[in-house]
Amino acid sequence: MVIVMAVDATAGNVEAVVDRVTAAGGEAFVSRGVSRTVIGLVGEVDRFEALNLGGMPGVRSVTRISAKYKLVSLEHHPERSTVHVRGVPIGPDSVTLIAGPCAVETPEQTLEAARMAQAAGATLLRGGAFKPRTSPYAFQGLGELGLRILADVRAETGLPVVTEVVAAHDVEMVARYADMLQIGTRNMQNFGLLQAVGEAGKPVLLKRGMSATIEEWLMAAEYIAQRGNLDIVLCERGIRTFETATRNTLDISAVPVVQRLSHLPVMIDPSHSGGRRDLVLPLSRAAVAVGADGVLVDVHPHPEEARCDGPQALVADDLRVLQRSLLDLASVLGRKGPAQWSPRRLAG
Amino acid sequence: MVIVMAVDATAGNVEAVVDRVTAAGGEAFVSRGVSRTVIGLVGEVDRFEALNLGGMPGVRSVTRISAKYKLVSLEHHPERSTVHVRGVPIGPDSVTLIAGPCAVETPEQTLEAARMAQAAGATLLRGGAFKPRTSPYAFQGLGELGLRILADVRAETGLPVVTEVVAAHDVEMVARYADMLQIGTRNMQNFGLLQAVGEAGKPVLLKRGMSATIEEWLMAAEYIAQRGNLDIVLCERGIRTFETATRNTLDISAVPVVQRLSHLPVMIDPSHSGGRRDLVLPLSRAAVAVGADGVLVDVHPHPEEARCDGPQALVADDLRVLQRSLLDLASVLGRKGPAQWSPRRLAG
Amino acid sequence: MVIVMAVDATAGNVEAVVDRVTAAGGEAFVSRGVSRTVIGLVGEVDRFEALNLGGMPGVRSVTRISAKYKLVSLEHHPERSTVHVRGVPIGPDSVTLIAGPCAVETPEQTLEAARMAQAAGATLLRGGAFKPRTSPYAFQGLGELGLRILADVRAETGLPVVTEVVAAHDVEMVARYADMLQIGTRNMQNFGLLQAVGEAGKPVLLKRGMSATIEEWLMAAEYIAQRGNLDIVLCERGIRTFETATRNTLDISAVPVVQRLSHLPVMIDPSHSGGRRDLVLPLSRAAVAVGADGVLVDVHPHPEEARCDGPQALVADDLRVLQRSLLDLASVLGRKGPAQWSPRRLAG
Amino acid sequence: MVIVMAVDATAGNVEAVVDRVTAAGGEAFVSRGVSRTVIGLVGEVDRFEALNLGGMPGVRSVTRISAKYKLVSLEHHPERSTVHVRGVPIGPDSVTLIAGPCAVETPEQTLEAARMAQAAGATLLRGGAFKPRTSPYAFQGLGELGLRILADVRAETGLPVVTEVVAAHDVEMVARYADMLQIGTRNMQNFGLLQAVGEAGKPVLLKRGMSATIEEWLMAAEYIAQRGNLDIVLCERGIRTFETATRNTLDISAVPVVQRLSHLPVMIDPSHSGGRRDLVLPLSRAAVAVGADGVLVDVHPHPEEARCDGPQALVADDLRVLQRSLLDLASVLGRKGPAQWSPRRLAG
């Protein structure tokens, strides 16, 4: 930690800081400049945090140097991690495609979407049974019925299921059906929910909050990790900016930035970033090229009838182009691309 | 609703839209321009929403004209509301001061802060027992113990208690102690929580999400209202922007904008907006002048020892200046200011 | 300056930094922590900047402690300044009202607007002859003809003229007509223009860039000051955020933040912030209450015919209410309010 | 145009709008809904703009349907354009690499950087002689001397020169040396400068303003086009958001969004977006994959001595990796990649 004293800080102010630090078992190094004094702290940073040094007279700023997150940091675990969801890897060796309908509506629609996804190389099925919606008058998802449909479709197709959970008290129930628990953008700082999924024994897909900094996102992951679960995959889905041409602004730089700070895999959701079908393909290509460990896309057999986010869902033709692109790009970048369809997979 | 067709939309595309609308019981008015066709819709807007017209071929955009929220809208209830918290009014006639410690730490600190608040004219006591913190390693609040302390301080001072609830399954318990339930900025779109407080039978203080539009904020209020609870007070607490000189950017315009859209009272939290003690006083003055129904401030008897947000807490001297300012400004604006201290109040 | 070394920095890296600093005549204080080393620098900060220490091997970050601006800083000039525009003061003792049409359209419209402004207590007349417009197809202002109209109206009313200049090569010409030169939001970082107005010998009204930080704004003022002109008035006019309910988001906290960093007067433009007539009055009240040295508002005798920003222009009735409010609030805050109309003023 | 009337608009209000529109030679179609009336306008949109319909009593909103820009729109020119800079194409068939030092410092540094750029496949040399800097105390560029250095390096290497111009009165002079004129982010709405480069007879590289919407960016291009110059290349360089991990947030979606609205080529500047050397390579890959027509990167033979933006400049090794990546990705996407070095090119 580095403490910068105010211009008019007195010698007594400096001494008081040094005393509080040393009383807490730390060491304080004072550097007196022409106009200001700077104090460098060495010791247990967390203990210093508790001292509220920023509130002491004469202190202008307190800067923490080491990262606030530990378990998810690259310093803690210098190799990039691979998370396995019922055997399906998400990590540095492959480009994983997760696809499915935004919302589970009917068994037929879900199965059809799953088959479309699978034909395009998706190895994980996404689908929402609990939908956080801005309006109380909008379709809120089928709840447990939706989860049952997803489980049936998994039995039929072999695709493990990724689905969102929105409340701590639902985690146990959702975890009985799902293979991976998704935390949505609006819940990235629902700390009780993060702790609950941290204890649920299932991999977690943690979407970035729409106005969360990368540091806050990694802190949210740390909440999960701290409860003993390091099977966390991060997912960038666009942030909120002044630009209105897209639903959100995809912060593609977040992928390499995260990869320099954390060992966790990181994916991109081009469907929610852009909010427009015609942007999904170019943004998916960009995602793979920038080094993301996969993409998460909305598909729907009949988007014009979708009860949620129809305008951004891909249809069958789009998916074939997407698959081709991802395979080509992954190969250029030395990674395994999305699965290529084979009848045998379906049997498994 | 207004539908704008794409330049290359065919007559068949237009007809399909008209057919779908009329089949749903609506009326469609087609205006053919030189380069585009526009279709005006009349009827049940919610039914139109379900038709997914935006996904139909040839449709370029669909614009909803009437507000998405109803119960909280000014159209629904053309007079500004006053919400009563154990008899304390928040509404257009008065400038209400809610004050207290960011976090409840000890019985002594809470009582001392409450007495400071009361001496400065506060008529409601705020204090956090459940603290959502960015880091899992930071102080998370005392939980139910904190609620008990608040209840004891209420018994001692007569000040009704406003406190945050962070999970739907805690609502019942928190409501047993609190007089007003606060929804924090990170939970503004925790829809299950909104519904739970909507059913709890207590007034709600709904903080704006740090990246929520005013429309989304009112929609969040609508979630609460829809469960039968219209005792909602909105609280602007700063939004996230590129500016780093302040913790958040206080969107002071939100107050008059909300007042033209909704009948609900709206307050300002200058402590969390600015994140700096020296900004609380000028921002509080601005809050009253712009027409807010009150302010919500952090106070602490010993901010340098605060376990949460010490740098923004007011101390006793600040509070006297704040009280004077609020009284003067309120009187200029034809409102009742914060209570003026009298020994009798304490006895009550 | 404080330099934080990377975790894996070598002793040689540290030495190289120290050597470069001492070779440049500075002193370097090394504090070795458990995991990192921090180096505090004392000496001529500008010289250190030129050393490109951030690019040296093993350096993680370089933090500058003293402000980058000098002439406009409060440290440089610890008393708040008053800027005089042809004798009209803008500064801490008064609340100055600058009003007039967004664009000069005709002599009649300009004179009528000026009389409205004056009747409401304005002591300076604003009006645009050069209008930066987003579209090349929009009205771009009358140019020099507009300046002549403004000069005529000044002769008629006695109101000194504030008008925008948009290009360095126009400064001399505009300065022949105007009493105060306005730099608009889009030109806040048009550095050649800033330097030109710095040499023009007239007071400057410097609007904040719509996405400029407060630090960048003060740096822009420093560009003007560096050319020998300290008669600078800052004007906050809203920043760009995700919120679309208002044209811009008025960053009202900028006023007290600036006042703690700089001695320059600071005003608020509520017309451009909100972009809506109905917000001008509440935002003007907030401006005075927060401590701004004045407000700048659009007025138009016939807003429905305005060629620019009609929807935000005040009309005569609004102005009477505005004047009343500003007088009342200024008096509560111990300041002189806008002038009260007297026939004698007009004669002067 | 679509006009939505307020709920309480009278029949007279509606009639007044219709009358004004028809008096101006347009047609107005009135659709009366249950709660509101909507009026569709057909005719010359620009003429309607001048009517200030938004300011009429009872009008709630006026929405323009057709694009505000024409010459740069895809509707105007349905095929994607290729801009040639001294014979070097920028357009849909190729991935063009523009590289060079952020600032021209010395003849040696510039030549060395140009050779590095050329060896890596760059076909255009960038370099700044006029540097807009936030601080008046920072290096502002060599001015005309820098332009002469660039011309000399062009003579030596054969690389056409792209350089920034910051003032309208400099355009003629800069155009004598440069092959392509760059408009920087801070000048995107310096309309006089846009008009001047529109008349200079040289291709223009128009960077996006750091807080400009895509629509405003295209309107800025329209300013140039309106003066008869359609040789415009757009360049996305990051927008300003709340995220501080990167210098700016690269809005990669802007590329496909622009390509659906305009026929102009669009490039990406990964150096200024991220502000960090380690992000340039992944962001360049993403740029090509998303469909950009090229990338613009900073290179420096000795970044640790750079007088401007050293931390983001690529060095020789980085460039080899960049070239390899761009070639591979371009080939997968069916485009020509950056030039491969050959001694013959230098002779040309």
Side-chain angles (χ1 to χ4, degrees):
Chain A
M1 264 183 167
V2 175
I3 293 176
V4 177
M5 302 300 289
V7 168
D8 54 5
T10 63
N13 294 156
V14 173
E15 216 168 283
V17 172
V18 172
D19 287 354
R20 192 177 289 189
V21 169
T22 46
E27 284 177 285
F29 296 87
V30 178
S31 303
R32 286 192 178 77
V34 171
S35 63
R36 289 188 199 274
T37 295
V38 173
I39 310 177
L41 266 48
V42 175
E44 264 295 285
V45 183
D46 286 337
R47 192 172 298 173
F48 297 153
E49 289 282 16
L51 298 178
N52 189 21
L53 299 166
M56 293 184 72
V59 170
R60 182 177 146 157
S61 71
V62 177
T63 306
R64 187 171 175 148
I65 291 154
S66 57
K68 289 181 175 173
Y69 38 86
K70 296 171 190 178
L71 304 172
V72 305
S73 74
L74 200 61
E75 295 188 2
H76 173 78
H77 186 299
E79 237 167 280
R80 305 241 319 260
S81 295
T82 296
V83 170
H84 289 86
V85 182
R86 263 214 184 189
V88 174
I90 306 177
D93 295 332
S94 53
V95 171
T96 303
L97 177 61
I98 305 181
C102 180
V104 172
E105 299 166 19
T106 64
E108 297 70 30
Q109 164 254 11
T110 308
L111 181 59
E112 210 174 332
R115 292 215 188 278
M116 287 167 61
Q118 193 165 38
T123 44
L124 293 167
L125 172 68
R126 57 149 297 163
F130 293 92
K131 302 298 308 170
R133 300 301 295 276
T134 303
S135 165
Y137 305 113
F139 174 58
Q140 314 263 326
L142 298 181
E144 191 165 0
L145 171 60
L147 297 174
R148 261 183 249 124
I149 294 174
L150 286 167
D152 290 347
V153 170
R154 174 179 55 208
E156 188 81 14
T157 61
L159 291 173
V161 162
V162 184
T163 198
E164 181 165 358
V165 56
V166 299
H169 55 84
D170 288 339
V171 167
E172 208 186 299
M173 186 263 285
V174 177
R176 277 203 304 276
Y177 296 95
D179 302 298
M180 183 178 218
L181 300 173
Q182 178 180 319
I183 301 294
T185 188
R186 289 174 184 76
N187 282 311
M188 194 205 82
Q189 291 198 319
N190 184 336
F191 301 115
L193 178 59
L194 297 177
Q195 291 169 330
V197 299
E199 289 167 358
K202 289 279 165 103
V204 178
L205 184 74
L206 178 64
K207 291 206 160 185
R208 181 178 179 184
M210 67 183 81
S211 67
T213 62
I214 291 172
E215 180 172 299
E216 289 167 342
W217 191 17
L218 291 173
M219 291 301 284
E222 186 84 3
Y223 261 95
I224 300 169
Q226 197 213 11
R227 295 292 166 118
N229 185 352
L230 268 165
D231 287 335
I232 306 164
V233 175
L234 302 167
C235 183
E236 158 68 29
R237 47 75 70 204
I239 58 173
R240 190 156 267 196
T241 71
F242 62 82
E243 177 58 71
T244 55
T246 43
R247 186 163 162 182
N248 296 283
T249 296
L250 176 63
D251 181 9
I252 200 155
S253 317
V255 174
V257 168
V258 160
Q259 289 172 342
R260 277 147 189 75
L261 297 172
S262 170
H263 58 92
L264 299 178
V266 55
M267 299 185 70
I268 279 181
D269 176 344
S271 303
H272 284 80
S273 307
R276 291 165 44 173
R277 182 175 308 138
D278 65 339
L279 297 182
V280 175
L281 186 61
L283 295 182
S284 296
R285 285 185 183 127
V288 177
V290 90
D293 299 317
V295 294
L296 180 75
V297 299
D298 284 13
V299 303
H300 199 287
H302 310 287
E304 69 287 358
E305 293 169 6
R307 301 185 69 181
C308 165
D309 289 344
Q312 74 196 30
L314 296 185
V315 294
D317 286 353
D318 304 324
L319 279 166
R320 271 185 288 279
V321 184
L322 177 66
Q323 182 180 31
R324 188 72 261 146
S325 283
L326 299 189
L327 283 167
D328 289 348
L329 288 168
S331 114
V332 162
L333 299 161
R335 288 180 151 203
K336 269 184 66 174
Q340 283 184 274
W341 184 85
S342 88
R344 208 153 306 160
R345 279 201 65 78
L346 290 184
Chain B
M1 264 185 169
V2 175
I3 294 176
V4 177
M5 302 298 290
V7 169
D8 54 5
T10 64
N13 295 155
V14 173
E15 216 168 283
V17 172
V18 172
D19 287 355
R20 192 177 287 188
V21 169
T22 46
E27 284 178 285
F29 297 86
V30 178
S31 303
R32 285 191 178 79
V34 171
S35 64
R36 289 187 199 273
T37 294
V38 172
I39 309 177
L41 266 48
V42 176
E44 265 295 286
V45 183
D46 286 337
R47 193 172 297 173
F48 297 153
E49 288 282 17
L51 298 178
N52 190 23
L53 299 165
M56 294 185 72
V59 170
R60 183 176 145 156
S61 70
V62 176
T63 307
R64 187 170 176 148
I65 292 155
S66 57
K68 289 182 174 171
Y69 38 85
K70 295 170 190 178
L71 304 172
V72 305
S73 75
L74 201 61
E75 295 188 1
H76 174 78
H77 186 298
E79 237 168 279
R80 305 244 317 260
S81 296
T82 296
V83 171
H84 289 86
V85 183
R86 263 209 184 196
V88 174
I90 306 177
D93 297 332
S94 53
V95 171
T96 303
L97 176 61
I98 305 181
C102 180
V104 172
E105 299 166 20
T106 65
E108 296 72 28
Q109 163 253 12
T110 307
L111 180 58
E112 210 175 330
R115 292 216 187 277
M116 287 166 62
Q118 194 164 37
T123 44
L124 293 166
L125 172 67
R126 57 149 298 164
F130 293 91
K131 301 299 307 171
R133 300 301 296 273
T134 303
S135 165
Y137 306 112
F139 174 58
Q140 314 264 325
L142 297 180
E144 192 164 359
L145 171 60
L147 297 175
R148 260 183 250 124
I149 293 174
L150 286 166
D152 290 348
V153 171
R154 173 180 54 208
E156 188 82 14
T157 61
L159 291 173
V161 163
V162 184
T163 198
E164 181 165 357
V165 56
V166 298
H169 55 85
D170 288 339
V171 167
E172 208 186 299
M173 185 261 287
V174 177
R176 278 203 303 276
Y177 296 94
D179 302 297
M180 182 179 219
L181 301 172
Q182 177 180 319
I183 301 293
T185 188
R186 291 174 182 76
N187 281 311
M188 193 205 83
Q189 291 198 319
N190 184 336
F191 301 116
L193 178 59
L194 297 176
Q195 291 168 330
V197 300
E199 291 168 358
K202 290 279 166 102
V204 178
L205 183 74
L206 178 64
K207 290 206 161 185
R208 180 177 180 186
M210 67 183 81
S211 67
T213 62
I214 291 172
E215 180 172 300
E216 289 167 342
W217 190 17
L218 291 173
M219 290 301 284
E222 186 82 5
Y223 260 95
I224 299 169
Q226 197 213 14
R227 296 293 167 118
N229 185 351
L230 268 165
D231 287 336
I232 305 166
V233 175
L234 301 168
C235 182
E236 158 69 29
R237 46 75 71 203
I239 58 173
R240 190 158 267 195
T241 71
F242 63 83
E243 178 59 71
T244 54
T246 43
R247 187 165 160 179
N248 296 284
T249 296
L250 177 63
D251 181 9
I252 199 155
S253 317
V255 174
V257 168
V258 160
Q259 288 172 343
R260 278 147 191 75
L261 297 171
S262 171
H263 58 92
L264 299 179
V266 55
M267 300 184 70
I268 279 183
D269 176 344
S271 303
H272 284 82
S273 307
R276 291 165 42 172
R277 181 174 308 138
D278 65 340
L279 297 182
V280 175
L281 185 62
L283 295 182
S284 296
R285 286 184 181 128
V288 177
V290 91
D293 299 317
V295 294
L296 179 75
V297 299
D298 284 13
V299 303
H300 200 286
H302 310 288
E304 70 286 359
E305 292 169 8
R307 300 186 69 182
C308 167
D309 290 343
Q312 73 196 31
L314 296 184
V315 295
D317 285 353
D318 304 324
L319 279 166
R320 271 185 288 279
V321 183
L322 178 67
Q323 182 180 29
R324 189 71 261 145
S325 283
L326 299 190
L327 283 168
D328 288 348
L329 288 169
S331 115
V332 163
L333 299 162
R335 287 180 152 203
K336 269 184 65 174
Q340 284 185 274
W341 184 84
S342 88
R344 206 154 308 161
R345 278 200 65 76
L346 290 185
Chain C
M1 263 183 169
V2 174
I3 294 175
V4 177
M5 302 299 290
V7 168
D8 55 6
T10 63
N13 295 155
V14 173
E15 217 169 282
V17 171
V18 171
D19 287 354
R20 192 178 286 189
V21 168
T22 46
E27 285 178 286
F29 297 86
V30 179
S31 302
R32 285 192 178 77
V34 170
S35 63
R36 289 187 199 273
T37 294
V38 172
I39 309 177
L41 266 48
V42 175
E44 264 295 286
V45 184
D46 286 336
R47 193 172 296 173
F48 297 153
E49 288 281 16
L51 299 177
N52 190 21
L53 299 165
M56 293 184 72
V59 170
R60 182 176 145 156
S61 71
V62 176
T63 306
R64 186 171 177 148
I65 292 155
S66 56
K68 289 181 176 174
Y69 38 86
K70 295 170 191 179
L71 304 171
V72 305
S73 74
L74 200 62
E75 295 189 1
H76 173 78
H77 186 298
E79 238 168 278
R80 304 247 314 264
S81 297
T82 296
V83 171
H84 289 86
V85 182
R86 264 209 184 196
V88 174
I90 306 176
D93 296 332
S94 53
V95 171
T96 303
L97 176 62
I98 305 182
C102 181
V104 172
E105 299 166 20
T106 64
E108 296 71 30
Q109 163 253 13
T110 307
L111 180 59
E112 211 174 330
R115 292 216 189 276
M116 288 166 61
Q118 194 164 38
T123 44
L124 293 166
L125 172 66
R126 56 148 299 166
F130 294 90
K131 302 298 308 171
R133 300 300 295 275
T134 303
S135 165
Y137 306 112
F139 174 58
Q140 312 264 326
L142 297 180
E144 193 166 357
L145 171 60
L147 297 175
R148 261 183 249 125
I149 293 174
L150 286 167
D152 290 347
V153 171
R154 173 180 55 209
E156 188 81 14
T157 59
L159 290 173
V161 163
V162 184
T163 198
E164 181 165 358
V165 55
V166 298
H169 55 84
D170 288 339
V171 167
E172 209 186 297
M173 186 261 286
V174 176
R176 278 202 303 276
Y177 297 94
D179 302 298
M180 182 178 218
L181 301 172
Q182 178 180 319
I183 300 293
T185 187
R186 289 173 183 79
N187 281 311
M188 193 204 83
Q189 292 198 320
N190 184 337
F191 300 116
L193 178 59
L194 297 176
Q195 290 169 330
V197 300
E199 291 167 358
K202 291 277 166 102
V204 178
L205 184 74
L206 178 64
K207 290 205 161 185
R208 180 179 180 184
M210 67 184 81
S211 68
T213 62
I214 291 172
E215 180 172 301
E216 289 167 343
W217 191 17
L218 292 173
M219 291 300 284
E222 185 83 5
Y223 260 95
I224 299 169
Q226 197 214 11
R227 296 292 166 119
N229 185 350
L230 267 166
D231 286 335
I232 305 165
V233 174
L234 302 167
C235 182
E236 159 67 30
R237 46 76 70 205
I239 58 173
R240 190 158 267 195
T241 70
F242 62 83
E243 177 58 71
T244 55
T246 43
R247 187 164 161 179
N248 296 283
T249 296
L250 177 63
D251 181 9
I252 199 156
S253 316
V255 174
V257 169
V258 160
Q259 288 172 343
R260 277 146 190 77
L261 297 172
S262 171
H263 58 91
L264 300 178
V266 56
M267 300 184 68
I268 278 182
D269 176 344
S271 303
H272 283 81
S273 307
R276 289 165 45 171
R277 180 172 310 138
D278 66 339
L279 298 182
V280 175
L281 187 61
L283 295 182
S284 295
R285 284 185 183 128
V288 177
V290 91
D293 300 315
V295 294
L296 178 75
V297 299
D298 285 12
V299 303
H300 199 286
H302 310 287
E304 68 287 358
E305 293 169 7
R307 300 185 69 182
C308 165
D309 289 343
Q312 72 196 30
L314 296 185
V315 295
D317 285 354
D318 303 325
L319 280 166
R320 272 185 289 279
V321 183
L322 177 67
Q323 182 180 28
R324 189 72 261 144
S325 283
L326 298 190
L327 284 168
D328 289 349
L329 288 168
S331 114
V332 163
L333 299 161
R335 288 182 151 201
K336 268 183 65 173
Q340 282 184 274
W341 183 86
S342 87
R344 205 151 310 161
R345 277 201 66 77
L346 289 185
Chain D
M1 263 184 170
V2 175
I3 293 176
V4 177
M5 302 299 290
V7 168
D8 55 5
T10 64
N13 294 157
V14 174
E15 217 168 283
V17 171
V18 172
D19 287 353
R20 192 178 287 189
V21 168
T22 47
E27 284 177 285
F29 296 87
V30 178
S31 302
R32 285 192 178 78
V34 170
S35 63
R36 289 189 198 271
T37 295
V38 173
I39 309 177
L41 266 49
V42 176
E44 264 295 287
V45 183
D46 286 337
R47 193 171 298 173
F48 297 153
E49 289 280 18
L51 298 178
N52 190 21
L53 299 164
M56 294 184 71
V59 170
R60 182 175 146 157
S61 70
V62 177
T63 307
R64 187 171 176 147
I65 292 153
S66 57
K68 289 181 176 174
Y69 38 85
K70 296 172 190 176
L71 304 172
V72 305
S73 76
L74 201 61
E75 294 188 2
H76 173 78
H77 186 300
E79 235 166 281
R80 306 246 314 264
S81 296
T82 296
V83 170
H84 289 85
V85 182
R86 265 212 184 192
V88 174
I90 306 177
D93 296 333
S94 53
V95 170
T96 302
L97 176 61
I98 305 181
C102 181
V104 172
E105 298 166 20
T106 64
E108 296 70 30
Q109 164 253 14
T110 307
L111 180 59
E112 210 174 331
R115 291 216 188 279
M116 287 167 61
Q118 194 165 36
T123 45
L124 293 166
L125 173 66
R126 57 149 298 165
F130 293 92
K131 302 298 308 171
R133 300 300 295 275
T134 303
S135 165
Y137 305 112
F139 174 58
Q140 313 263 327
L142 298 180
E144 192 165 359
L145 171 60
L147 297 175
R148 260 184 249 124
I149 293 174
L150 286 166
D152 290 347
V153 170
R154 173 179 56 208
E156 188 81 13
T157 60
L159 291 173
V161 163
V162 185
T163 199
E164 182 165 357
V165 56
V166 299
H169 55 83
D170 288 339
V171 168
E172 207 185 300
M173 185 262 285
V174 176
R176 277 203 303 278
Y177 296 95
D179 302 298
M180 183 177 217
L181 301 172
Q182 178 179 318
I183 301 293
T185 188
R186 289 175 184 76
N187 282 310
M188 194 205 82
Q189 291 198 321
N190 184 336
F191 301 116
L193 178 59
L194 297 176
Q195 290 168 331
V197 300
E199 291 167 358
K202 292 277 165 103
V204 178
L205 184 75
L206 178 63
K207 291 205 161 185
R208 180 177 180 185
M210 67 184 81
S211 67
T213 63
I214 291 172
E215 181 172 298
E216 290 167 341
W217 191 18
L218 291 173
M219 291 300 284
E222 186 82 5
Y223 261 95
I224 299 169
Q226 198 214 12
R227 295 291 166 121
N229 185 350
L230 268 165
D231 287 336
I232 306 164
V233 175
L234 302 167
C235 183
E236 157 69 29
R237 47 74 72 203
I239 57 173
R240 189 158 268 195
T241 71
F242 62 83
E243 177 58 70
T244 54
T246 44
R247 185 163 161 182
N248 296 284
T249 296
L250 177 63
D251 181 8
I252 200 156
S253 316
V255 173
V257 169
V258 161
Q259 288 172 342
R260 277 147 189 76
L261 297 171
S262 170
H263 58 92
L264 300 178
V266 56
M267 300 184 69
I268 279 181
D269 176 344
S271 302
H272 284 80
S273 307
R276 290 165 44 174
R277 182 174 307 138
D278 65 340
L279 297 182
V280 175
L281 186 61
L283 295 182
S284 296
R285 284 185 183 127
V288 177
V290 91
D293 300 316
V295 294
L296 179 75
V297 300
D298 284 12
V299 302
H300 199 287
H302 310 288
E304 69 287 358
E305 293 169 6
R307 301 186 68 182
C308 165
D309 289 345
Q312 73 197 29
L314 296 185
V315 294
D317 285 353
D318 303 323
L319 279 166
R320 271 185 289 278
V321 183
L322 177 67
Q323 183 181 29
R324 190 69 262 148
S325 282
L326 297 189
L327 284 168
D328 288 349
L329 288 168
S331 115
V332 163
L333 299 161
R335 289 180 150 203
K336 269 183 67 174
Q340 283 185 275
W341 184 85
S342 88
R344 209 154 305 162
R345 279 201 64 77
L346 290 185

